[in-house]
Coordinates of all heavy atoms in Angstrom, one line a residue:
G1 N -0.6 16.5 4.2 CA -0.3 17.4 3.1 C 1.1 17.3 2.5 O 1.6 18.1 1.8
V2 N 1.8 16.2 2.8 CA 3.2 15.9 2.4 C 3.1 15.1 1.1 O 2.4 14.1 1.0 CB 4.0 15.2 3.4 CG1 5.4 14.9 2.9 CG2 4.1 16.0 4.7
G3 N 3.8 15.5 0.1 CA 3.9 14.7 -1.2 C 4.6 13.4 -0.9 O 5.7 13.4 -0.4
A4 N 3.9 12.3 -1.3 CA 4.5 11.0 -1.1 C 4.2 10.0 -2.2 O 3.1 10.0 -2.8 CB 3.9 10.4 0.2
T5 N 5.2 9.3 -2.6 CA 5.1 8.2 -3.6 C 5.6 6.9 -3.0 O 6.6 6.9 -2.3 CB 5.8 8.6 -4.9 OG1 5.3 9.8 -5.4 CG2 5.8 7.5 -5.9
V6 N 5.0 5.8 -3.4 CA 5.4 4.5 -2.9 C 5.9 3.7 -4.1 O 5.2 3.5 -5.1 CB 4.3 3.8 -2.1 CG1 4.8 2.4 -1.7 CG2 3.9 4.6 -0.9
L7 N 7.1 3.1 -4.0 CA 7.6 2.1 -4.9 C 7.5 0.8 -4.1 O 8.0 0.7 -3.0 CB 9.0 2.3 -5.3 CG 9.3 3.7 -6.0 CD1 10.8 3.7 -6.4 CD2 8.5 3.9 -7.2
A8 N 6.8 -0.2 -4.7 CA 6.5 -1.4 -3.9 C 6.7 -2.7 -4.6 O 6.6 -2.8 -5.9 CB 5.0 -1.4 -3.4
L9 N 7.1 -3.7 -3.9 CA 7.1 -5.1 -4.4 C 5.7 -5.7 -4.2 O 4.9 -5.2 -3.4 CB 8.2 -5.9 -3.6 CG 9.6 -5.5 -3.7 CD1 10.5 -6.4 -2.8 CD2 10.1 -5.7 -5.2
P10 N 5.4 -6.8 -4.9 CA 4.1 -7.4 -4.6 C 4.0 -7.8 -3.1 O 4.9 -8.3 -2.5 CB 4.2 -8.7 -5.5 CG 5.2 -8.4 -6.6 CD 6.2 -7.5 -5.9
A11 N 2.8 -7.5 -2.5 CA 2.6 -7.7 -1.1 C 2.3 -9.1 -0.8 O 1.4 -9.7 -1.3 CB 1.5 -6.8 -0.6
R12 N 3.1 -9.7 0.1 CA 2.9 -11.1 0.6 C 2.1 -11.1 1.9 O 1.3 -12.0 2.1 CB 4.2 -11.8 0.8 CG 5.2 -11.8 -0.4 CD 6.4 -12.6 -0.1 NE 7.0 -12.3 1.2 CZ 7.9 -11.3 1.3 NH1 8.3 -10.6 0.3 NH2 8.4 -11.1 2.5
H13 N 2.4 -10.2 2.8 CA 1.7 -10.2 4.1 C 0.3 -9.7 4.0 O 0.0 -8.7 3.3 CB 2.5 -9.2 5.0 CG 2.2 -9.4 6.5 ND1 1.0 -9.0 7.0 CD2 2.9 -9.9 7.5 CE1 1.0 -9.2 8.3 NE2 2.2 -9.8 8.6
P14 N -0.7 -10.3 4.6 CA -2.1 -9.9 4.4 C -2.3 -8.5 4.9 O -3.1 -7.8 4.3 CB -2.9 -10.9 5.3 CG -1.9 -11.6 6.2 CD -0.6 -11.5 5.4
L15 N -1.7 -8.0 6.0 CA -1.9 -6.7 6.4 C -1.2 -5.7 5.5 O -1.7 -4.5 5.4 CB -1.4 -6.5 7.8 CG -2.1 -7.2 8.9 CD1 -1.5 -7.0 10.3 CD2 -3.6 -6.8 9.0
T16 N -0.2 -6.1 4.9 CA 0.5 -5.2 3.9 C -0.4 -5.0 2.7 O -0.6 -3.9 2.1 CB 1.8 -5.8 3.4 OG1 2.7 -5.9 4.6 CG2 2.5 -4.9 2.4
R17 N -1.1 -6.1 2.2 CA -2.1 -6.0 1.1 C -3.2 -5.1 1.5 O -3.6 -4.2 0.7 CB -2.6 -7.4 0.8 CG -1.6 -8.3 0.1 CD -2.2 -9.4 -0.6 NE -2.8 -10.4 0.3 CZ -2.1 -11.4 0.9 NH1 -0.9 -11.6 0.5 NH2 -2.7 -12.2 1.7
R18 N -3.7 -5.2 2.8 CA -4.8 -4.4 3.2 C -4.4 -2.9 3.2 O -5.1 -2.0 2.8 CB -5.2 -4.8 4.6 CG -6.4 -4.0 5.2 CD -6.7 -4.4 6.6 NE -7.2 -5.8 6.6 CZ -7.5 -6.4 7.7 NH1 -7.4 -5.8 8.9 NH2 -7.8 -7.7 7.7
N19 N -3.2 -2.6 3.7 CA -2.8 -1.2 3.8 C -2.3 -0.6 2.5 O -2.4 0.6 2.3 CB -1.6 -1.1 4.8 CG -2.2 -1.0 6.3 OD1 -2.9 -0.1 6.6 ND2 -1.9 -2.0 7.1
R20 N -1.9 -1.5 1.5 CA -1.7 -1.0 0.2 C -3.1 -0.6 -0.4 O -3.1 0.5 -1.1 CB -1.1 -2.1 -0.7 CG -0.9 -1.7 -2.1 CD 0.0 -2.8 -2.8 NE 0.2 -2.4 -4.2 CZ 1.2 -2.8 -4.9 NH1 2.1 -3.6 -4.4 NH2 1.4 -2.4 -6.2
A21 N -4.1 -1.3 -0.2 CA -5.5 -0.9 -0.6 C -6.0 0.3 0.0 O -6.5 1.2 -0.6 CB -6.5 -2.1 -0.4
R22 N -5.7 0.5 1.3 CA -6.1 1.7 2.0 C -5.3 2.9 1.5 O -5.9 4.0 1.4 CB -5.9 1.6 3.5 CG -6.7 0.5 4.1 CD -6.5 0.4 5.6 NE -7.0 1.5 6.4 CZ -6.9 1.7 7.7 NH1 -6.1 0.9 8.4 NH2 -7.4 2.7 8.3
W23 N -4.1 2.7 1.1 CA -3.3 3.8 0.5 C -3.9 4.2 -0.8 O -4.0 5.4 -1.1 CB -1.8 3.3 0.4 CG -0.9 4.1 -0.5 CD1 -0.4 3.6 -1.7 CD2 -0.5 5.4 -0.4 NE1 0.4 4.5 -2.3 CE2 0.4 5.7 -1.5 CE3 -0.7 6.4 0.5 CZ2 1.0 6.9 -1.7 CZ3 -0.1 7.7 0.3 CH2 0.8 7.9 -0.8
R24 N -4.3 3.2 -1.6 CA -4.9 3.5 -2.9 C -6.2 4.2 -2.7 O -6.5 5.1 -3.5 CB -5.0 2.2 -3.7 CG -5.6 2.4 -5.1 CD -5.5 1.1 -5.9 NE -6.3 0.0 -5.3 CZ -5.8 -1.1 -4.7 NH1 -4.5 -1.3 -4.7 NH2 -6.6 -2.0 -4.2
A25 N -6.9 3.8 -1.7 CA -8.3 4.4 -1.5 C -8.2 5.9 -1.2 O -9.2 6.6 -1.5 CB -9.0 3.7 -0.4
V26 N -7.1 6.4 -0.6 CA -7.0 7.8 -0.3 C -6.3 8.6 -1.5 O -6.0 9.8 -1.3 CB -6.3 8.1 1.0 CG1 -7.1 7.5 2.2 CG2 -4.9 7.6 1.0
G27 N -6.1 7.9 -2.6 CA -5.5 8.6 -3.7 C -4.0 8.4 -3.9 O -3.4 9.1 -4.7
G28 N -3.4 7.5 -3.1 CA -2.0 7.3 -3.1 C -1.5 6.6 -4.4 O -2.2 5.7 -4.9
Q29 N -0.3 6.9 -4.8 CA 0.2 6.3 -6.1 C 1.2 5.2 -5.7 O 2.2 5.5 -4.9 CB 0.9 7.4 -6.9 CG 1.4 6.8 -8.3 CD 2.0 7.9 -9.1 OE1 2.5 8.9 -8.5 NE2 2.1 7.7 -10.4

């Protein structure tokens, strides 16, 4: 329930790309 925003560089690491997608899947910006 904590307000969170992510500012990100393009993801190079495969797990970072995966967790960026998981963040987007739960409504993260």
Side-chain angles (χ1 to χ4, degrees):
V2 177
T5 298
V6 178
L7 303 180
L9 295 174
R12 303 185 313 274
H13 195 288
L15 292 180
T16 302
R17 289 196 293 270
R18 180 182 300 177
N19 278 298
R20 181 169 179 157
R22 295 180 74 187
W23 163 244
R24 184 172 60 249
V26 298
Q29 183 181 22

